[in-house]
């Protein structure tokens, strides 16, 4: 059984794929189901895929410097579509921007040198929170 489902993608025009590929492999090796949307994905495509795939988390890999605007667009599109997936962001991100991303609702931000173990732990936490929220919702309706 899978530990959870994570979507990995490169949002916007950023074509640097190595980090996303390493993270996807690390999550797969740890027992997650990984859906890799590839490069040049729009924020709206990310949100739609998260809803369609019933993903526990979405991992955005952004090295273009547009992490604030692109992440905001993913979150806004996700809100419109009813996305319940947590958002994780990786890239070269200044500490001040990481705080802004977390204030937007991003669950975790990873910079260069982040360990796969830390990313797996963050994904596990997202899965745990999402499953607990679903169980609580089911109990309140039943």
């Amino acid at each position: 059984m899978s530990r959870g489902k994570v979507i990995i993608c490169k949002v916007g025009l950023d074509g640097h794929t190595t980090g996303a590929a390493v993270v996807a492999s690390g999550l797969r090796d740890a027992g997650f189901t990984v859906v890799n949307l590839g490069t040049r994905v729009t924020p709206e495509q990310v949100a739609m895929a998260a809803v369609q795939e019933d993903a526990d988390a979405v991992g955005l890999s952004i090295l273009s410097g547009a992490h604030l605007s692109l992440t905001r667009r993913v979150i806004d599109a996700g809100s419109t579509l009813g996305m319940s997936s947590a958002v994780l962001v990786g890239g070269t991100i200044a500490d001040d921007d990481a705080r802004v991303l977390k204030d937007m609702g991003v669950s975790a931000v990873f910079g260069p040198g982040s360990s796969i173990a830390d990313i797996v732990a963050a994904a596990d936490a997202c899965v745990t929170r999402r499953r607990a929220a679903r169980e609580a919702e089911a109990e309140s309706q039943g």
Side-chain angles (χ1 to χ4, degrees):
M1 179 172 169
S2 172
R3 275 171 98 156
K5 185 182 280 189
V6 180
I7 290 177
I8 299 291
C9 59
K10 301 291 296 178
V11 183
L13 299 177
D14 181 5
H16 299 90
T17 61
T18 303
V22 169
V23 169
S25 292
L27 288 168
R28 267 192 210 101
D29 290 349
F32 285 88
T33 299
V34 177
V35 177
N36 191 337
L37 299 181
T39 60
R40 296 181 176 84
V41 181
T42 68
E44 297 75 19
Q45 289 170 323
V46 174
M48 187 172 296
V51 171
Q52 290 173 345
E53 291 287 341
D54 193 27
D56 295 299
V58 172
L60 307 176
S61 174
I62 307 171
L63 293 172
S64 65
H67 44 270
L68 295 177
S69 62
L70 290 171
T71 301
R72 168 55 56 209
R73 287 181 53 203
V74 169
I75 290 170
D76 289 348
S79 178
T80 299
L81 295 172
M83 180 179 88
S84 63
S85 310
V87 177
L88 308 169
V89 179
T92 305
I93 299 170
D95 291 341
D96 288 344
D97 285 354
R99 283 189 283 282
V100 172
L101 289 168
K102 288 185 178 182
D103 288 344
M104 279 185 208
V106 170
S107 294
V109 178
F110 300 97
S114 296
S115 73
I116 294 298
D118 287 344
I119 296 168
V120 167
D124 274 334
C126 292
V127 170
T128 299
R129 281 192 305 272
R130 188 165 185 251
R131 289 181 180 165
R134 284 187 164 183
E135 288 173 15
E137 183 180 330
E139 286 178 16
S140 71
Q141 292 178 357

